[in-house]
Amino acid sequence: MDAQLDDKALENTLAESLADLMPDAKTVSEDEFVEVVGGALEAVGGTLLFKMCVDNGGEGQHVAAACVGDGGNRQFLLLTLPTVGGALKVETASRSTNPVAGIAAAYAGLMDVFKTAA
């Protein structure tokens, strides 16, 4: 099966599960962002890797990296939401142009090493 189609299907599944979870507030706090992301990841059996708030072209943006699956089947996701509110964007890290996307796989690999060493 085409990996691009799989990525798109995963993005669509997450986007659908997020429709009911979005807060109505104009400004989105980090706690609200974590709650929305947590609910979305729970729907697809995903795991939050890390979250941060970044400046993207002068606009504040919440960013979360997550993974779905494990081992060789693991897919990395990037979830972004403007701090001023709006639509939560979900994309696979392989399709994302966000610079944070490249960190997701490296971070997960580092966590794997720590688990093995512990």
Side-chain angles (χ1 to χ4, degrees), residues 12-96:
N12 288 339
T13 300
L14 272 168
E16 286 168 16
S17 68
L18 291 168
D20 298 331
L21 296 169
M22 285 307 303
D24 293 330
K26 294 287 185 230
T27 302
V28 181
S29 72
E30 188 173 359
D31 288 345
E32 288 170 319
F33 178 64
V34 169
E35 189 176 323
V36 169
V37 167
L41 293 175
E42 193 175 310
V44 294
T47 304
L48 178 67
L49 296 171
F50 63 85
K51 61 181 173 40
M52 62 178 68
C53 194
V54 298
D55 184 276
N56 187 5
E59 180 182 275
Q61 188 177 62
H62 294 292
V63 180
C67 65
V68 176
D70 45 29
N73 295 327
R74 187 160 52 180
Q75 285 184 288
F76 298 99
L77 303 170
L78 207 63
L79 300 94
T80 55
L81 179 67
T83 56
V84 295
L88 180 68
K89 183 176 180 183
V90 180
E91 55 192 346
T92 54
S94 61
R95 289 164 47 103
S96 177

